[in-house]
Amino acid sequence: MERLHKYASCSESCYILGFIYLDRLLQRNPAFVLSMKNIHRLVLISTVLAIKYLDDAYADNNSYAIIGGITLKEFNLLEVNMLRLLRYDLYIDPLLFAQYLAELQFHYQRTEEEAMSDVEEEGVKPTEDCESVMSGKTNVSMVDSW
């Protein structure tokens, strides 16, 4: 996902739309199973479908295949298969998009709050920690605990 974000230069809405496509794929195909072996390919293809659907400018499939670390042949096959499994239905109602966006924002905010509470429980202030690392005045035991 980081490579796609770094090199694809797409709108932020594409990531949400890609997530919706992935969710739709799983809902319409209950026998389909996500695994560590297929998740990066599915995220790549669903996001590229979103880019092609939503953005005015996008790269060619070879560029996306290189970004995703797969061959062009595999990329094309995955794209066609995902489109078939989605029944070529890429339209997302704006209200559904807003619901997914709100849900993702809620989970993101909650995750950040949990991370901050964990840091506060340990008695480490994030700004002090970052400053000490950047200045080279790092407490080795603190770094080892990461």
Side-chain angles (χ1 to χ4, degrees), residues 17 21 24 49-50 53 83 86-92:
L17 198 61
Y21 290 160
R24 182 180 279 178
L49 287 176
Y53 185 82
L83 282 167
L86 291 171
R87 301 177 199 139
Y88 296 90
D89 180 16
L90 299 181
Y91 173 77
I92 302 296

Side-chain angles (χ1 to χ4, degrees), residues 62 65-66 69-76:
N62 190 54
I66 291 169
I70 60 176
T71 66
L72 176 60
K73 184 178 179 178
E74 182 181 12
F75 182 93
N76 289 336

Side-chain angles (χ1 to χ4, degrees), residues 26 43 45 59 63 71 75 92-94 114 118 121 127 131 138:
L26 297 173
V43 168
I45 299 301
S63 298
T71 66
F75 182 93
I92 302 296
D93 184 273
E114 288 172 0
D118 289 346
E121 286 175 13
T127 54
E131 289 171 5
T138 308

Side-chain angles (χ1 to χ4, degrees), residues 29-142:
N29 305 278
F32 198 91
V33 178
L34 289 179
S35 71
M36 294 302 289
K37 292 185 178 185
N38 69 13
I39 188 66
H40 107 272
R41 287 170 170 79
L42 292 170
V43 168
L44 171 69
I45 299 301
S46 64
T47 306
V48 170
L49 287 176
I51 292 168
K52 290 180 175 184
Y53 185 82
L54 197 60
D55 288 355
D56 292 332
Y58 51 87
D60 59 17
N61 282 4
N62 190 54
S63 298
Y64 292 122
I66 291 169
I67 291 168
I70 60 176
T71 66
L72 176 60
K73 184 178 179 178
E74 182 181 12
F75 182 93
N76 289 336
L77 184 63
L78 289 169
E79 184 179 39
V80 168
N81 285 334
M82 183 172 263
L83 282 167
R84 286 182 184 147
L85 290 169
L86 291 171
R87 301 177 199 139
Y88 296 90
D89 180 16
L90 299 181
Y91 173 77
I92 302 296
D93 184 273
L95 291 175
L96 181 64
F97 183 90
Q99 288 173 336
Y100 272 84
L101 176 60
E103 188 72 21
L104 289 169
Q105 287 173 330
F106 171 77
H107 285 291
Y108 177 77
Q109 181 181 10
R110 199 171 110 206
T111 303
E112 275 193 333
E113 289 170 358
E114 288 172 0
M116 289 306 295
S117 71
D118 289 346
V119 168
E120 289 170 3
E121 286 175 13
E122 293 175 12
V124 177
K125 294 181 182 174
T127 54
E128 290 177 0
D129 181 40
C130 291
E131 289 171 5
S132 64
V133 170
M134 295 304 288
S135 68
K137 300 175 185 172
T138 308
N139 179 346
V140 175
S141 63
M142 181 179 69

